[in-house]
Amino acid sequence: MECKLAVSLMHDFLDDDLSKEQRVMLKEHTLTCPDCRMQFKELEQTDMLLYSLHYSTPSASDELTKRILSALPVHKKQQRWVTWVKRHPAATAAALFLVVMLFSTINVWNQDNQLMVHGNNLDQVIIEGDTVILPEGRTIAGDLTIENGKAQIFGVVEGNLTVIDGSLYKASTAHISGQVKNVDRALDWIWYKITNLVSDVAYR
């Protein structure tokens, strides 16, 4: 047997993976080869040292183990809404945007009580305090919008008439060719703004 083969068989011998015939051949070789005999002895001592270290490693007591585990921070279970937010970031962002816009719009609605009049040739109307009057015989060419005021229509509106957060009086002499809208609530006002915005974008 060559020394190279003997060295490879030494590892298998220590792992108890050699056949009976191979064991006999390795033993005969180590008896006749001083170098292989010395190398086998060193490998055997190293293997025994590793074995002793493995089984002599001290283990922690059950009490110590419990103390260590109890000292570790407890992993808090995430709430369902947090998990949903992480899984649906786009929907969450859209919902937050709508909530912010809703509260902002309602806040503006509650704070802005100033009279505002929108329309063409507004020189046809008369404003007395918070009352907007369109006298008989006068004409507004287009839409007329009145916010935070009272509308008294005696003349002609060639378009839509919208009164937001106010009151409307329409005389028998009045003529309105378009729709008449009386918006009294914040949500109706928001919807009115959205529909107007969509209409503006669609016709630009």
Side-chain angles (χ1 to χ4, degrees), residues 29 129 168 170 185:
H29 179 77
L168 169 63
K170 180 182 175 184
R185 294 174 297 174

Side-chain angles (χ1 to χ4, degrees), residues 54-65:
H54 175 73
Y55 285 96
S56 63
T57 303
S59 58
S61 63
D62 293 340
E63 182 181 354
L64 179 59
T65 303

Side-chain angles (χ1 to χ4, degrees), residues 6-183:
V7 171
S8 64
L9 291 177
M10 289 178 192
H11 295 282
D12 294 335
F13 177 85
L14 294 174
D15 293 335
D16 199 20
D17 289 336
L18 287 183
S19 63
K20 185 176 180 181
E21 182 181 351
Q22 289 174 322
R23 285 173 175 271
V24 172
M25 292 173 59
L26 178 62
K27 187 175 181 180
E28 290 178 353
H29 179 77
T30 54
L31 290 174
T32 57
C33 179
D35 293 336
C36 289
R37 185 167 59 251
M38 180 65 65
Q39 188 169 357
F40 179 75
K41 187 175 182 181
E42 291 175 354
L43 282 174
E44 193 174 28
Q45 290 175 349
T46 303
D47 187 67
M48 291 178 65
L49 178 61
L50 292 174
Y51 181 84
S52 63
L53 288 175
H54 175 73
Y55 285 96
S56 63
T57 303
S59 58
S61 63
D62 293 340
E63 182 181 354
L64 179 59
T65 303
K66 290 179 181 178
R67 287 173 59 188
I68 293 173
L69 291 175
S70 62
L72 293 175
V74 179
H75 178 68
K76 295 182 179 180
K77 188 177 180 180
Q78 288 186 339
Q79 297 182 3
R80 291 183 178 179
W81 69 271
V82 176
T83 305
W84 190 93
V85 166
K86 290 183 176 180
R87 291 182 179 177
H88 307 87
T92 303
L96 287 176
F97 175 77
L98 289 176
V99 169
V100 171
M101 289 297 296
L102 176 62
F103 279 101
S104 298
T105 306
I106 292 175
N107 188 45
V108 171
W109 168 269
N110 291 330
Q111 291 180 358
D112 189 6
N113 295 318
Q114 183 179 0
L115 174 65
M116 299 184 69
V117 183
H118 306 280
N120 298 324
N121 56 313
L122 294 179
D123 56 327
Q124 298 295 310
V125 301
I126 300 172
I127 299 177
E128 297 178 354
D130 63 346
T131 304
V132 179
I133 304 170
L134 179 62
E136 184 179 357
R138 296 190 182 183
T139 301
I140 296 293
D143 296 338
L144 176 63
T145 302
I146 301 169
E147 298 185 35
N148 304 311
K150 301 173 184 177
Q152 295 182 3
I153 308 300
F154 298 89
V156 177
V157 177
E158 296 178 344
N160 298 325
L161 173 63
T162 305
V163 179
I164 301 171
D165 195 22
S167 61
L168 169 63
Y169 171 76
K170 180 182 175 184
S172 59
T173 57
H175 175 73
I176 302 171
S177 61
Q179 294 181 348
V180 178
K181 301 177 185 178
N182 197 341
V183 182

